């Protein structure tokens, strides 16, 4: 059974930092592409950052140079380090894992963790 459990969200002042973690259960992690998405109230879910199984990363333009995604395959965990946070970063952040095996695509989501940036 695949489970993704996010943690690390909370309330932070503008300019502050948070590190989100997503712990994965199951034996898929090393072959999975992992991503962090966010959804603000009244908005669509958007990709924030991704890291593929080979470690290549991509970022939304709005977070380039501010956020860093990383993974630890030994711990089955993906991280999102968020620096210089702004009120517009307020959202529920979701972890995603997906991979393709024998032509079948597997796609899983965590339950989300709230990040609120406010003074």
């Amino acid at each position: 059974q695949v489970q993704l459990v996010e943690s690390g969200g909370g309330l932070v002042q503008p300019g502050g930092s948070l590190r989100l973690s997503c712990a994965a259960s199951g034996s898929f992690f090393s072959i999975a592409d992992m991503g962090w998405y966010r959804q603000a109230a009244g908005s669509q879910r958007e990709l924030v950052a991704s890291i593929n199984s080979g470690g290549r990363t991509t970022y939304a333009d709005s977070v380039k140079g501010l956020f860093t995604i990383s993974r630890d395959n030994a711990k089955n965990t993906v991280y999102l380090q968020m620096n210089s946070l702004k009120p517009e970063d307020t959202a529920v952040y979701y972890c995603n894992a997906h991979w393709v095996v024998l032509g079948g695509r597997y796609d899983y989501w965590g339950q989300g963790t709230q990040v609120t940036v406010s003074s």
Side-chain angles (χ1 to χ4, degrees), residues 15-113:
S17 298
L18 283 175
R19 187 174 83 153
L20 305 183
S21 299
C22 172
S25 64
S27 59
F28 67 92
F29 189 82
S30 63
I31 66 169
D33 295 339
M34 304 296 297
W36 285 98
Y37 290 72
R38 66 186 180 189
Q39 187 167 18
S43 298
Q44 290 187 333
R45 192 173 297 189
E46 63 175 358
L47 176 65
V48 176
S50 67
I51 183 166
N52 70 7
S53 58
R56 186 171 69 179
T57 59
T58 61
Y59 296 92
D61 287 343
S62 59
V63 306
K64 281 181 182 176
L66 302 175
F67 292 8
T68 302
I69 189 170
S70 61
R71 64 190 297 161
D72 185 337
N73 288 347
K75 295 182 178 180
N76 283 7
T77 301
V78 63
Y79 304 97
L80 185 67
Q81 177 67 44
M82 305 185 293
N83 298 328
S84 301
L85 284 160
K86 306 169 186 176
E88 51 263 42
D89 295 316
T90 296
V92 179
Y93 284 70
Y94 297 91
C95 177
N96 172 264
H98 61 274
W99 64 96
V100 176
V101 173
L102 299 177
R105 178 183 169 96
Y106 298 83
D107 204 335
Y108 294 91
W109 293 88
Q111 82 288 350
T113 185

